[in-house]
């Protein structure tokens, strides 16, 4: 069966263990009315016509209320509450005027409908009232045994209906939450992948371009030196392939020491003198890897844009903070790019990705013109942070 509209949505709602699949799960309880139906067909009621009309009205209201109970918006609608109140009037009118018997079974059914619709204090108060009223009517009509049966049955049926429907809604919410978390994880992985590819390929291609230019310049006058540059290009390419594979699988762990060595090599090939200063105790591996990304991006920007002759990289550690400063003496920020970044609040994609990584562990990344000349990148990270390297 394929439903349409709101009813179709109820019929197709995915089930959960222990929860009713749809409102149809509550319809078999109408079989409790079979005793009353038998009394009407056999004319064993004081007024069969009134009894038949009462049966029809009760069943109609019951189905109407139960189907609306599976939609949170329609469940709390005044029309649903009015239908529930009408069920109460019909139920006790039939139980009293038809002299008890099978007509008393309408009271547990009314309690079940209340459990499907009401929540919180309204549900508790209504169930207690129904159980007490049902036990009273049953006791007056059929004796104390039926009073206990109807009272207890009314209380339990309402509680079970409320519990099953709440369980069903909770399972649906958990499923939706799980799907939302899965989507968030996919988006996070896409961001990691694009960020790593940008950092890896931007740096590697910049080094390859610089070394290729050096090989072209050296070729006519010093073939051996040119071949050394070509060999370096091959090595850089192979390393890049390995790093991309590691980035794809999510297991890439950088090293600040190796990045500093690569920085010296790349900057030297570009004709930029490099000075590295390190002070303080050894850095935790996670923070060292994170700062390695900062060095990589800074070197890429220096080689491609700065026109610098000298770069300084300083790494220092105190009791609670680790600080990396990369400074070059080049042209400094491009005026047009700097104006656009200030207007939009979005620096270059590489620096923006690094700022997001550092912010995730309580760190900061600042970039801009150096005090005297050139460009400066400053990264500051807490010692006790635990970066996610993926």
């Amino acid at each position: 069966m394929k439903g349409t509209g709101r009813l179709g949505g109820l019929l197709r709602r995915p089930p959960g263990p222990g929860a009713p699949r749809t409102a149809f799960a509550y319809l078999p309880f109408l079989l409790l009315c079979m005793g009353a139906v038998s009394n009407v067909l056999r004319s064993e009621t004081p007024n069969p016509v009134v009894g038949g009309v009462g049966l029809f009205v009760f069943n109609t209201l019951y189905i109407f209320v139960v189907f609306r109970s599976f939609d949170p918006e329609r469940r709390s609608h005044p029309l649903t509450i009015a239908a529930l109140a009408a069920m109460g009037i019909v139920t006790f009118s039939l139980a009293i005027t038809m002299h008890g018997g099978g007509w008393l079974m309408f009271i547990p059914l009314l309690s079940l409908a209340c459990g499907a619709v009401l929540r919180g204090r309204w549900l508790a108060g209504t169930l207690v009232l129904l159980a007490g009223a049902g036990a009273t009517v049953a006791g007056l009509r059929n004796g104390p045994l039926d009073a206990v049966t109807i009272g207890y049955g009314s209380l339990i049926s309402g509680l079970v209906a409320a519990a099953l429907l709440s369980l069903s809604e909770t399972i649906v919410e958990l499923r939706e939450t799980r799907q939302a978390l899965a989507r968030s994880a996919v988006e996070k992985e896409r961001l990691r992948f694009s960020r790593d590819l940008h950092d890896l390929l931007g740096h590697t291609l910049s080094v390859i371009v610089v070394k290729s230019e050096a090989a072209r310049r050296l070729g006519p006058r010093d073939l051996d030196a040119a071949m050394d540059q070509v060999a370096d290009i091959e090595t850089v390419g192979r390393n890049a392939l390995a790093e991309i594979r590691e980035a794809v699988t999510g297991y890439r762990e950088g090293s600040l020491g190796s990045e500093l060595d690569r920085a010296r090599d790349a900057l030297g090939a570009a004709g930029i003198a490099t000075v590295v200063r390190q002070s303080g105790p050894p850095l935790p591996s996670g923070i060292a890897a994170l700062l390695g990304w900062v060095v990589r991006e800074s070197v890429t920007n220096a080689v491609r844009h700065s026109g610098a002759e000298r770069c300084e990289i300083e790494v220092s550690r105190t009791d609670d903070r680790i600080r990396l400063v990369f400074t070059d003496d080049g042209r400094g920020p491009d005026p047009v790019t700097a104006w656009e970044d200030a207007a939009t609040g979005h620096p270059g994609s590489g620096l923006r990705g690094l700022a997001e990584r550092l912010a995730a562990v309580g760190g900061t990344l600042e970039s801009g013109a150096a005090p005297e000349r050139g460009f400066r990148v400053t990264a500051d990270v807490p010692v006790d942070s635990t970066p996610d390297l993926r």
Side-chain angles (χ1 to χ4, degrees):
M1 175 185 282
K2 182 178 181 180
T4 59
R6 289 178 179 263
L7 179 58
L10 297 178
L11 298 181
R12 295 191 300 271
R13 174 165 291 182
R21 291 177 177 267
T22 67
F24 288 109
Y26 288 107
L27 297 187
F29 290 101
L30 288 174
L31 294 175
L32 294 173
C33 301
M34 291 305 297
V37 173
S38 177
N39 290 340
V40 171
L41 295 178
R42 295 179 181 179
S43 299
E44 295 178 355
T45 61
N47 193 329
V49 175
V50 173
V53 172
L55 274 171
F56 175 78
V57 172
F58 179 87
N59 290 340
T60 302
L61 291 173
Y62 177 86
I63 294 172
F64 176 80
V65 168
V66 165
F67 271 91
R68 291 178 70 89
S69 68
F70 273 72
D71 187 328
E73 294 182 2
R74 295 195 297 172
R75 182 170 61 213
S76 57
H77 194 276
L79 183 59
T80 306
I81 305 302
L84 197 61
M87 279 186 64
I89 295 173
V90 172
T91 297
F92 282 96
S93 297
L94 292 175
I96 294 173
T97 59
M98 297 300 170
H99 305 294
W103 300 93
L104 294 174
M105 300 306 298
F106 284 53
I107 299 176
L109 283 176
L110 172 62
S111 180
L112 188 149
C114 290
V117 173
L118 303 178
R119 293 292 180 271
R121 290 179 296 179
W122 282 102
L123 174 62
T126 301
L127 292 183
V128 171
L129 180 62
L130 282 179
T136 300
V137 173
L140 293 175
R141 292 298 182 184
N142 291 19
L145 182 59
D146 280 0
V148 174
T149 302
I150 296 300
Y152 179 77
S154 299
L155 185 63
I156 293 300
S157 61
L159 292 175
V160 170
L164 289 178
L165 195 55
S166 296
L167 176 61
S168 176
E169 294 173 347
T170 301
I171 291 173
V172 171
E173 292 176 0
L174 289 175
R175 183 179 291 111
E176 293 173 350
T177 302
R178 183 177 61 186
Q179 293 173 351
L181 290 174
R183 288 193 297 269
S184 176
V186 171
E187 292 172 358
K188 182 179 179 182
E189 184 63 14
R190 285 175 178 170
L191 176 61
R192 179 201 69 82
F193 185 69
S194 62
R195 184 178 58 199
D196 285 1
L197 280 184
H198 172 274
D199 294 344
L200 288 170
L201 294 180
H203 173 80
T204 301
L205 293 177
S206 297
V207 173
I208 290 175
V209 168
V210 170
K211 287 186 173 292
S212 298
E213 292 175 347
R216 178 174 53 81
R217 292 194 305 267
L218 293 170
R221 62 177 187 272
D222 191 343
L223 183 59
D224 291 337
M227 293 304 297
D228 289 339
Q229 295 294 333
V230 172
D232 289 343
I233 292 173
E234 181 183 0
T235 301
V236 170
R238 292 183 184 278
N239 291 337
L241 287 174
E243 290 173 345
I244 290 174
R245 294 190 188 100
E246 293 171 354
V248 170
T249 55
Y251 295 112
R252 185 178 191 276
E253 293 188 7
S255 166
L256 180 58
S258 62
E259 290 298 341
L260 290 174
D261 291 338
R262 292 175 185 174
R264 292 189 185 96
D265 186 45
L267 292 171
I272 303 174
T274 307
V275 177
V276 178
R277 300 187 182 93
Q278 292 180 273
S279 61
L283 306 184
S285 59
I287 297 178
L290 184 58
L291 294 180
W293 285 106
V294 178
V295 172
R296 175 182 286 262
E297 180 63 26
S298 301
V299 169
T300 301
N301 291 337
V303 170
R304 294 172 60 184
H305 308 301
S306 71
E309 298 178 355
R310 178 185 173 87
C311 285
E312 293 185 3
I313 306 173
E314 182 177 356
V315 182
S316 59
R317 172 176 176 173
T318 62
D319 292 338
D320 57 346
R321 308 293 293 185
I322 298 172
R323 183 181 178 88
L324 183 146
V325 181
F326 184 101
T327 309
D328 66 58
D329 61 355
R331 290 185 295 267
D334 180 69
V336 176
T337 304
W339 182 88
E340 291 176 350
D341 293 346
T344 61
H346 296 296
S349 58
L351 293 176
R352 182 168 65 248
L354 288 172
E356 292 172 355
R357 290 189 180 195
L358 291 169
V361 297
T364 59
L365 181 72
E366 298 178 357
S367 59
E372 297 180 359
R373 178 188 174 191
F375 193 78
R376 170 176 289 181
V377 177
T378 303
D380 189 272
V381 187
V383 172
D384 58 355
S385 60
T386 54
D388 183 359
L389 301 179
R390 292 179 302 167

